[in-house]
Amino acid sequence: MSKLTTRHVYTSESVSEGHPDKVCDQISDAILDACIANDPAAHVGCETAAGTNLVVNVGEITCKNWEKINPQAIAREVVKDIGYDTPSEGFSYDTFNYVSALHGQSVDIAQGVNKVTLEDQGAGDQGMMFGYASNATPQLMPAPIVYAHALLQFFTALRKNGEIAYLRPDSKAQVSVLHEGGVATEITTVVISHQTREVPIKRIRKEMEEAARSLLLDTGMLTNKTKFYINPTGRFVIGGPCGDSGLTGRKIIVDSYGGVGSHGGGAFSGKDPSKVDRSAAYYCRYAAKNIVAAGLADKCEIQVAYAIGVAKPLSINVSTYGTGKVPDAKIEKILMSDEIFDFRPGMLIKDLGLTKPRGWSYRKTSNYGHFGREGFPWEKTDRVSALRAAAGLK
């Protein structure tokens, strides 16, 4: 069957900042931000677990002026900002118990990462990372994940400004989009499960569907057949870490492309940029987005692989899913030349300014996707001209 006549529905999910796993991602990244601010060369692998009335930090941190950093105070401030402020709900910023088991980084890992020059800095771990982009949306992201994130950002704003005062922090959204010939054409289904106070379900469903429709109307993809499922179990009052325990790094598909493309398996939050699980995934997105923005392909996925302690990538693979205007092998050759993009860990960290965030923070990445939102350096499309020239396109 020709790809021009194929029809399929693809679904992606997002979770809000109050989801228990996202509570943990934010705490881990807020601690990372504090470390980077004190010591740009800090090595951080900070994990967070959360449960009923409990937050636990474990992991490895080596940071100058560590004594100036108070992880417990950071955790409480994050939870307060999210909106968990009612002790009777089982999790509140001012009453949860806090435990820390943070310690210094392994010297075995450090000897492979701490090199004299940026060019020689080794990868902080082995593994493979992926980046993806497509021209399906203005953000050069797949449509389902863009709309799922947008819905939860919208409901978070409605909660925090008091327009829907009964909303509480924990929520999920799921959006199914019909694609015809590879193009997103209509939203078939929207599922929203949102923690609330005790309010009649009929009111919740009516008001939340009206709000969701108002946001999605601008997509032009709502139809009279679009189905909405709002709090389909009928009640969602017990939520957050009290309703379900949370862990850092458990929402890697929400964090990336909503299931489109591939994922190497490594999480992002709580890791300093020497951990290529994070920084190389950002750089792969940067390269893939510029390739699509340059018109070299309609879709692009990049895979890069590293060995721990080794600077030069073991491999770089490019797939444009048959949409390339030039051969994939030619794009690979451009990427491997180091002339436009340099995938060595020290160099990509420098290129994106990952140890000296300006106008952004790692905590900001931890909600509503690490990709597809302006303000992060890996979302810039500043290599378009160079790529077109290297590919021989006018």
Side-chain angles (χ1 to χ4, degrees):
M1 183 182 290
S2 167
K3 73 174 185 177
L4 296 178
T5 60
T6 57
R7 301 174 83 249
H8 72 279
V9 175
Y10 201 89
T11 302
S12 293
E13 177 191 61
S14 180
V15 299
S16 72
E17 64 190 55
H19 185 281
D21 293 332
K22 280 294 155 195
V23 171
C24 295
D25 283 342
Q26 290 170 89
I27 292 171
S28 292
D29 271 343
I31 292 172
L32 170 62
D33 283 328
C35 291
I36 293 289
N38 273 275
D39 178 9
H43 292 305
V44 179
C46 180
E47 311 294 342
T48 305
T52 302
N53 204 36
L54 177 66
V55 169
V56 178
N57 279 131
V58 298
E60 304 78 43
I61 295 179
T62 300
C63 174
K64 295 177 182 177
N65 302 314
W66 170 247
E67 67 279 358
K68 295 181 180 180
I69 297 171
N70 186 336
Q72 179 176 177
I74 292 170
R76 294 192 186 279
E77 185 61 30
V78 168
V79 173
K80 181 180 181 181
D81 184 57
I82 292 168
Y84 285 114
D85 54 8
T86 307
S88 62
E89 292 180 345
F91 187 74
S92 180
Y93 77 94
D94 52 348
T95 59
F96 67 71
N97 296 310
Y98 178 79
V99 177
S100 174
L102 296 167
H103 59 83
Q105 183 192 39
S106 163
V107 294
D108 293 345
I109 295 175
Q111 69 179 352
V113 176
N114 297 335
K115 301 292 186 179
V116 176
T117 65
L118 285 174
E119 291 85 353
D120 294 331
Q121 180 177 320
D125 202 351
Q126 68 183 53
M128 64 283 186
M129 297 82 212
F130 291 86
Y132 179 85
S134 79
N135 60 10
T137 62
Q139 297 90 343
L140 302 187
M141 290 283 288
I145 191 66
V146 168
Y147 301 148
H149 286 322
L151 275 171
L152 291 188
Q153 287 179 289
F154 184 52
F155 279 106
T156 295
L158 294 178
R159 170 175 65 88
K160 289 190 170 182
N161 67 25
E163 288 188 51
I164 303 183
Y166 55 76
L167 295 179
R168 298 300 292 143
D170 192 2
S171 59
K172 290 184 175 184
Q174 186 173 293
V175 179
S176 302
V177 178
L178 174 66
H179 294 72
E180 299 183 89
V183 177
T185 57
E186 75 177 69
I187 296 172
T188 61
T189 311
V190 176
V191 182
I192 302 172
S193 294
H194 208 303
Q195 182 189 15
T196 68
R197 300 192 190 277
E198 290 283 8
V199 174
I201 187 62
K202 187 175 181 179
R203 176 186 172 189
I204 292 169
R205 286 173 173 165
K206 178 179 182 294
E207 294 179 352
M208 290 188 64
E209 181 173 334
E210 288 175 352
R213 284 184 178 276
S214 72
L215 177 74
L216 294 173
L217 191 62
D218 288 344
T219 67
M221 285 196 278
L222 290 182
T223 73
N224 57 10
K225 297 182 294 183
T226 303
K227 295 180 180 179
F228 283 79
Y229 296 92
I230 310 295
N231 284 14
T233 67
R235 186 177 187 272
F236 184 9
V237 173
I238 300 171
C242 183
D244 187 13
S245 60
L247 291 170
T248 298
R250 210 159 52 172
K251 286 294 176 282
I252 57 177
I253 301 304
V254 171
D255 286 343
S256 52
Y257 307 100
V260 177
S262 305
H263 196 292
F268 302 146
S269 290
K271 297 177 180 178
D272 76 85
S274 73
K275 278 74 171 175
V276 283
D277 275 347
R278 182 173 211 163
S279 56
Y282 289 174
Y283 207 65
C284 285
R285 162 64 177 173
Y286 182 40
K289 186 176 183 180
N290 274 270
I291 287 166
V292 172
L296 272 62
D298 296 334
K299 300 178 183 179
C300 181
E301 180 178 274
I302 296 171
Q303 184 208 54
V304 61
Y306 293 92
I308 189 168
V310 178
K312 192 71 174 175
L314 307 182
S315 64
I316 298 176
N317 180 72
V318 174
S319 175
T320 62
Y321 302 92
T323 70
K325 307 304 184 288
V326 296
D328 291 357
K330 185 169 186 176
I331 300 175
E332 285 179 16
K333 186 176 180 180
I334 292 169
L335 296 184
M336 294 178 72
S337 72
D338 296 341
E339 293 178 5
I340 300 175
F341 298 97
D342 191 335
F343 281 83
R344 288 175 293 177
M347 300 310 291
L348 69 85
I349 289 169
K350 179 183 179 182
D351 199 4
L352 295 179
L354 297 182
T355 58
K356 298 178 180 179
R358 290 184 172 89
W360 62 279
S361 67
Y362 283 102
R363 185 187 165 190
K364 286 182 180 179
T365 69
S366 60
N367 293 319
Y368 314 115
H370 292 243
F371 309 119
R373 295 189 291 140
E374 294 303 316
F376 301 126
W378 50 92
E379 292 296 322
K380 296 184 297 184
T381 52
D382 56 353
R383 307 291 165 90
V384 165
S385 296
L387 282 167
R388 290 185 65 82
L393 300 179
K394 294 182 180 180

